[in-house]
Amino acid sequence: MRTLTPLVLTDALRPLTVTLSATRRRIGFSAVHGLADPLLVTDDEGWTPASRLLDGSALPALFDTAVRRWGAAPHAAATLAWKSYTYWVAMPAVLSWAAARRVPIIESDRTLLRFGGDEPGAALVQVGLRAPQVAVLPDDPLAHAGMPGITVVPDETLLLKTLRTSLLDQHLDLLSERIRAEVKVGRRTLLGSVASGIAYAVLRSAPALPGSTAASTAQQLLDALDLGDLVDISVGDGGEPEVHRRTCCLAFTLPQPKVCSGCCLR
């Protein structure tokens, strides 16, 4: 399959970039600062392919970044680094699906990262995409445009399966195995961070997303990814959806302990 040109990619991911821009205007730069701007990276100098996380060669740099940032013990550094990376790498896929039913294929060799600096407010890791393929439905205008790199899937069930295969089966699950070979941390703990990250990404971008409620959109994604039992999405006292984890990211073990708002420890 041929690689998408930058012009085609810009068009294919336009609903995603509009959603990200709206979220940044409403919440602030920190809502998107873990994503490259622009998201599509054309010059990969200074970037590391995510495939180097999967083969283990870049894991020490990722873990060391977390140790420097928080003074974390090795297992907590690995867990928190995973939490940050998976949040930012999942965001483009799930928000593009939620915004326009278009799924960028998050392959590890087309996902790029660079490690955050020590300046206040910097993301631990920043993620960019390098010419990803994009899956769409038959009624999408791109399905009949004759553009290279566009994959047409017959229905929404298979589109969500495509999202799961590229994001989880061929990327994050493999990285989870590599991390668990390095430090003692459970798979369920790691997947809990993926589930909460997806839920938060959708809820924070809710005003920019079409269709049904953000809570139902997030739940549909989580169920399709078999992550629905790892978080609860409920309505808080202020009437807004809240995410409650059933696992802990281990932030409470930091030298300056943190208990996240939706942590199961609460």
Side-chain angles (χ1 to χ4, degrees):
M1 185 178 293
R2 290 179 292 168
T3 298
L4 283 166
T5 65
L7 182 60
V8 172
L9 269 174
T10 299
D11 186 42
L13 297 181
R14 192 177 307 280
L16 169 63
T17 57
V18 168
T19 300
L20 293 174
S21 294
T23 302
R24 177 174 55 195
R25 288 194 300 270
R26 187 175 63 88
I27 300 178
F29 177 65
S30 63
V32 298
H33 70 163
L35 296 177
D37 185 17
L39 180 62
L40 299 175
V41 178
T42 56
D43 180 1
D44 59 6
E45 184 177 355
W47 292 87
T48 299
S51 55
R52 290 191 56 203
L53 293 179
L54 272 61
D55 68 23
S57 60
L59 273 183
L62 179 63
F63 294 168
D64 289 347
T65 302
V67 169
R68 291 196 307 272
R69 177 69 60 89
W70 295 302
H75 69 296
T79 304
L80 292 170
W82 159 275
K83 179 181 179 181
S84 180
Y85 174 74
T86 59
Y87 179 74
W88 297 117
V89 82
M91 182 181 283
V94 300
L95 290 187
S96 185
W97 175 86
R101 297 304 189 262
R102 296 177 180 177
V103 174
I105 307 302
I106 309 296
E107 297 172 311
S108 61
D109 59 347
R110 294 176 185 254
T111 303
L112 303 175
L113 66 148
R114 55 187 176 192
F115 307 111
D118 297 327
E119 61 272 14
L124 183 79
V125 61
Q126 191 176 56
V127 170
L129 301 180
R130 178 173 56 189
Q133 309 296 318
V134 178
V136 302
L137 294 171
D139 61 354
D140 191 299
L142 293 180
H144 311 288
M147 295 177 176
I150 299 295
T151 299
V152 182
V153 297
D155 55 48
E156 189 158 324
T157 298
L158 288 177
L159 185 63
L160 284 169
K161 184 176 180 180
T162 300
L163 193 159
R164 178 199 169 114
T165 299
S166 65
L167 179 64
L168 286 184
D169 299 347
Q170 298 177 352
H171 192 150
L172 297 185
D173 281 346
L174 300 179
L175 179 56
S176 169
E177 291 178 10
R178 175 64 68 173
I179 289 176
R180 288 183 288 118
E182 299 289 335
V183 295
K184 189 176 181 180
V185 60
R187 181 174 184 269
R188 183 175 172 84
T189 294
L190 295 179
L191 287 179
S193 289
V194 179
S196 66
I198 289 172
Y200 278 119
V202 172
L203 295 180
R204 288 167 178 164
S205 299
L209 297 175
S212 58
T213 66
S216 64
T217 298
Q219 194 63 57
Q220 185 179 359
L221 278 164
L222 294 172
D223 290 342
L225 298 173
D226 288 333
L227 301 174
D229 66 330
L230 293 169
V231 296
D232 290 313
I233 302 175
S234 60
V235 178
D237 294 338
E240 297 296 323
E242 295 181 348
V243 179
H244 301 279
R245 292 185 55 149
R246 295 182 179 177
T247 63
C248 179
C249 69
L250 305 184
F252 78 96
T253 67
L254 295 175
Q256 296 182 357
K258 177 183 178 182
V259 178
C260 306
S261 60
C263 183
C264 59
L265 296 182
R266 289 180 181 267

